[in-house]
Amino acid sequence: MTSAHKTVNLALQGGGAHGAFTWGVLDRLLEDERISFEGICATSAGAMNAVVMAYGLTTGGREGARRALAEYWRRVSELGVWGPLQPTLFDRLTKGRSLETSPAFVFFDMMTRLLSPYQINPLNYNPLRGVLEQTVDFERLRNESIVKLFLCATNVRTGKVKVFENHELTALAVLASSCLPLLFQAIEIDGEAFWDGGYMGNPAIFPVIYGCESTDVVIIHINPISREEIPRTASDILNRLNEISFNSSLMREMRAIAFANRLVGSGLLRGEEIKSMLIHAIEAESIMKELGAASKFNVDWEFLIHLRDVGRVCAENWLQANFSHVGVRSTIDIAARYL
């Protein structure tokens, strides 16, 4: 291994169709052979990106991972073509990204607030299961993955985070990580019920701290942390509540990492089990802030490609500015950003 080669862990947030931004980031990072990946902690759409990328790496190397990600997102978009949640003609003409002007989305949103998924979707049909099973051979992934995977879900009964590791990976585990409770019935695995992992870890960082040797964690942010304007409409208020709740667990872990890093740096903590973590972030907050919550359900191919291209640009900018610092220091001020 040359001195220019760096090994990192990835932390992938959830965010529905906004996960196409993460696709673009991963696509660009996979092009750079100076970087390899030891572990990936992920939630929801991030979990889907994680298993698809890991499977592609395992079966076809870097190009295999890039093809698998493109194939997955193309299938997601093709699935959406037959669904009712489509951008309106006005949205397409104005390049609007949201579905809030779509009558189908307005009706769908209203129904999810009045009826539970046990009433709306009694058979618990989730079209993404078929897409996952078409894209990933989970038996092979469990047995042969060259990347350590840590997928986060929320245990409905206990309220604790559940981390699915390589030997536990199934399509159901990925769906558990992405199970929004207003849309789908809780996913039951081995007698336990699970909802979206974003409530308790979006994603949880501790698995790569304890389970990986690399001390570098690259967080790919989807959910904006801060907003300058106070939300006024009902949809904006709900969107901000979701952003805050889905970022809260990550922010708590970042505070703990910053505290531990200070203790290690001052010499107050020592030992083989104690290490300073180097934190990096790839994000597009200014763009993500402009996207409404409804756009997370927009799987129109043009929109997904737009987000992919934004992700590629952000990853390229990060590589140019920060690659030399990987393995040396954090490239964000953890205290200023998360405390």
Side-chain angles (χ1 to χ4, degrees):
M1 183 181 296
T2 67
S3 59
H5 189 277
K6 309 289 181 74
T7 299
V8 302
N9 301 303
L10 298 173
L12 312 183
Q13 285 196 313
H18 295 182
F21 168 80
T22 301
W23 165 30
V25 172
L26 297 176
D27 190 65
R28 179 62 189 92
L29 294 181
L30 285 162
E31 285 183 341
D32 195 323
E33 296 189 359
R34 299 173 300 168
I35 295 179
S36 61
F37 312 97
E38 182 181 4
I40 307 176
C41 54
T43 292
S44 199
M48 299 197 182
N49 276 317
V51 297
V52 171
M53 173 181 166
Y55 180 69
L57 276 172
T58 300
T59 58
R62 292 175 179 271
E63 286 304 310
R66 296 183 66 208
R67 286 195 301 271
L69 284 164
E71 178 182 322
Y72 167 77
W73 283 102
R74 170 61 81 174
R75 283 175 170 162
V76 168
S77 181
E78 289 174 349
L79 193 66
V81 168
W82 303 104
L85 302 183
Q86 301 288 334
T88 63
L89 178 61
F90 175 78
D91 289 329
R92 296 184 188 278
L93 291 175
T94 60
K95 304 297 182 181
R97 308 301 184 185
S98 181
L99 297 175
E100 291 177 355
T101 61
S102 164
F105 176 79
V106 173
F107 177 75
F108 166 77
D109 186 53
M110 180 180 66
M111 292 300 292
T112 61
R113 302 187 193 287
L114 295 174
L115 300 173
S116 85
Y118 295 85
Q119 298 167 301
I120 299 174
N121 186 10
L123 299 179
N124 204 25
Y125 171 68
N126 189 329
L128 287 178
R129 180 169 186 169
V131 174
L132 282 170
E133 291 175 340
Q134 286 178 323
T135 309
V136 177
D137 180 341
F138 281 93
E139 182 177 0
R140 186 170 181 183
L141 183 64
R142 285 193 299 272
N143 296 325
E144 301 178 20
S145 178
I146 62 174
V147 179
K148 298 175 184 177
L149 291 170
F150 308 94
L151 308 186
C152 304
T154 300
N155 187 304
V156 178
R157 294 187 178 93
T158 67
K160 296 179 180 179
V161 64
K162 163 64 179 176
V163 178
F164 293 97
E165 299 188 28
N166 290 51
H167 67 282
E168 302 171 288
L169 294 181
T170 62
L172 270 184
V174 182
L175 294 178
S177 179
S178 59
C179 179
L180 293 172
L182 295 181
L183 300 183
F184 300 106
Q185 298 176 27
I187 301 295
E188 296 197 18
I189 301 175
D190 296 332
E192 292 293 344
F194 298 101
W195 282 340
D196 194 292
Y199 298 106
M200 294 305 296
N202 194 21
I205 306 296
F206 71 86
V208 296
I209 296 177
Y210 296 119
C212 298
E213 293 184 9
S214 173
T215 58
D216 287 87
V217 180
V218 181
I219 304 172
I220 302 178
H221 278 282
I222 290 181
N223 301 290
I225 291 178
S226 64
R227 285 187 181 270
E228 291 72 31
E229 297 183 359
I230 303 298
R232 306 288 184 184
T233 67
S235 60
D236 286 345
I237 290 170
L238 287 172
N239 184 44
R240 187 58 184 149
L241 282 171
N242 283 331
E243 288 174 349
I244 291 171
S245 63
F246 272 46
N247 279 324
S248 61
S249 58
L250 176 64
M251 295 180 74
R252 285 195 299 271
E253 279 198 281
M254 289 296 105
R255 294 184 189 111
I257 289 171
F259 179 65
N261 282 354
R262 287 198 299 271
L263 293 180
V264 172
S266 65
L268 295 176
L269 281 180
R270 296 178 182 177
E272 294 183 0
E273 298 299 321
I274 305 298
K275 55 188 178 183
S276 291
M277 298 303 298
L278 307 180
I279 306 299
H280 317 275
I282 301 177
E283 60 192 355
E285 279 225 344
S286 61
I287 293 175
M288 292 301 181
K289 287 178 181 178
E290 298 301 316
L291 300 176
S295 65
K296 293 179 181 180
F297 297 93
N298 182 2
V299 293
D300 184 72
W301 184 242
E302 183 181 359
F303 180 47
L304 298 182
I305 289 296
H306 165 71
L307 289 176
R308 182 205 62 183
D309 292 345
V310 170
R312 283 186 55 85
V313 170
C314 290
E316 174 64 30
N317 293 340
W318 181 82
L319 285 168
Q320 291 186 11
N322 297 305
F323 177 81
S324 62
H325 303 305
V326 174
V328 179
R329 64 174 178 83
S330 295
T331 54
I332 61 171
D333 186 334
I334 302 175
R337 181 172 179 80
Y338 298 107
L339 273 66

